Amino acid sequence: MADLDQNTVTEAVIAQMADTPDPRLREVMASLVRHLHGFAREVKLTPAEWLAAIGFLTRVGQTCTPIRQEFILLSDTLGLSRLVNLMDDKANRVGEATETSLLGPFYREAAPQFGYGESIATRAKGPEMMLFGRVVNEAGEGVPHATVEIWQTDADGAYDLQVNNPEVMDMRGQFRTDAEGRYAIRTLIPLGYSIPMDGPVGAMVRAQNRHGFRPAHIHVLIGAEGYRELVTALYLGDDDHIDSDTVFGVSESLVVHPRAGLEGAPDPALPSVRYDFRIARKAAHDTSGRVGADPSKIAAE
Ligand SMILES: [Fe+2]
């Protein structure tokens, strides 16, 4: 046998994995090994640094619970979630569909259902706003009976999971568009927030002298029969961190400015945002565009 050196070890590993029956797994793992080894050679990774990385990833895993997903947070803060989103958009977005944004670590399935114009703030208190508009298709026609699901922080910048016990859902809800594709949601003006800084990802962000804040936003997930699911968010343009989101989720087309007296607003006295979401037809090969999941589902797998 030939002795391995710091270059030939890479090909030896790939050769040993060459019989992987699943071709995609074979491709992904070979590339992972090539880049991982290349990275270690480039930074001349030391045993102490290797051990520190193992310890870091161990803590990331240990921090995950049914209501907290530290690995998604790590992916988000490294820009990997945005990258995967951008690539998926490029491959699958049809025409002028609304831009996507991150699902994030605070999405939960089975949020309560509300009627047109009702408020998702069942417990939290604070200044109110209204979000209304239509869900339309590529031709600009309203999509009836689409599900519009939203979740956001309260006026103090906290998600329900961070202030209540996990059984309590607040500041999240599911709506349905009417026969013309219209929706209207009453909610609180969200506040920007810091990602959880008490775990290993927070320690990483601090070590990099980054601020850890996300600008105020409202998460949106739209689904309709025959259409591609849209995962996106609307960002409040007057937030101090609108240009430096710690998880790189903001796009210009998703920035909004709530204001009172808006034409057609269900309650003109309230600061309101009119936003039409455009969704694309589902292609035959379409898979889920969600970069993320309800943390309890990941923990259960
Ligand atoms: Fe969020």
Side-chain angles (χ1 to χ4, degrees), residues 180-238:
E180 272 81 53
R182 287 180 302 220
Y183 73 91
I185 298 166
R186 201 176 177 106
T187 181
L188 305 183
I189 297 176
L191 198 69
Y193 62 89
S194 168
I195 59 162
M197 294 293 280
D198 59 344
V201 173
M204 177 192 80
V205 166
R206 261 196 303 276
Q208 293 164 336
N209 213 10
R210 295 161 66 180
H211 60 58
F213 278 93
R214 297 214 66 203
H217 57 275
I218 299 173
H219 291 277
V220 183
L221 193 154
I222 294 177
E225 193 68 35
Y227 289 88
R228 186 159 194 264
E229 186 178 74
L230 174 68
V231 182
T232 190
L234 299 178
Y235 294 87
L236 299 194
D238 63 353

Side-chain angles (χ1 to χ4, degrees), residues 9-58:
V9 64
T10 305
E11 287 312 316
V13 176
I14 292 169
Q16 203 171 104
M17 303 188 309
D19 291 335
T20 306
D22 181 331
R24 178 62 176 163
L25 181 63
R26 186 167 67 240
E27 178 194 0
V28 168
M29 289 304 296
S31 179
L32 175 69
V33 167
R34 212 169 275 126
H35 285 274
L36 193 60
H37 287 209
F39 153 74
R41 280 189 290 266
E42 182 182 313
V43 301
K44 298 188 172 56
L45 195 70
T46 67
E49 289 165 344
W50 172 86
L51 193 58
I54 297 287
F56 173 76
L57 292 172
T58 303

Side-chain angles (χ1 to χ4, degrees), residues 72-205:
I72 291 183
L73 197 61
L74 179 59
S75 167
D76 290 353
T77 51
L78 293 179
L80 179 64
S81 308
R82 182 68 197 272
L83 172 63
V84 173
N85 248 340
L86 286 167
M87 290 189 297
D88 188 55
D89 269 11
K90 196 157 181 241
N92 293 309
R93 246 178 85 208
V94 183
E96 295 298 304
T98 299
E99 283 194 82
T100 65
S101 191
L102 305 177
L103 188 82
F106 296 108
Y107 173 69
R108 296 177 76 187
E109 290 181 5
Q113 301 191 357
F114 294 99
Y116 187 89
E118 285 185 333
S119 175
I120 61 164
T122 54
R123 291 182 171 224
K125 304 261 181 288
E128 288 190 302
M129 64 170 279
M130 199 101 192
L131 180 61
F132 73 101
R134 293 197 309 156
V135 175
V136 298
N137 63 18
E138 53 278 275
E141 300 156 343
V143 178
H145 313 303
T147 307
V148 179
E149 191 167 354
I150 79 164
W151 65 105
Q152 63 169 83
T153 59
D154 60 20
D156 297 320
Y159 282 93
D160 54 359
L161 293 171
Q162 298 168 306
V163 285
N164 298 309
N165 71 53
E167 284 79 54
V168 177
M169 291 209 194
D170 193 20
M171 299 309 299
R172 60 180 78 229
Q174 301 186 48
F175 293 76
R176 278 204 181 260
T177 57
D178 68 10
E180 272 81 53
R182 287 180 302 220
Y183 73 91
I185 298 166
R186 201 176 177 106
T187 181
L188 305 183
I189 297 176
L191 198 69
Y193 62 89
S194 168
I195 59 162
M197 294 293 280
D198 59 344
V201 173
M204 177 192 80
V205 166

Side-chain angles (χ1 to χ4, degrees), residues 260-283:
L262 208 59
E263 203 190 317
D267 184 346
L270 277 187
S272 299
V273 167
R274 184 196 183 109
Y275 202 95
D276 290 348
F277 295 97
R278 195 174 289 257
I279 54 178
R281 296 266 175 203
K282 203 182 185 103

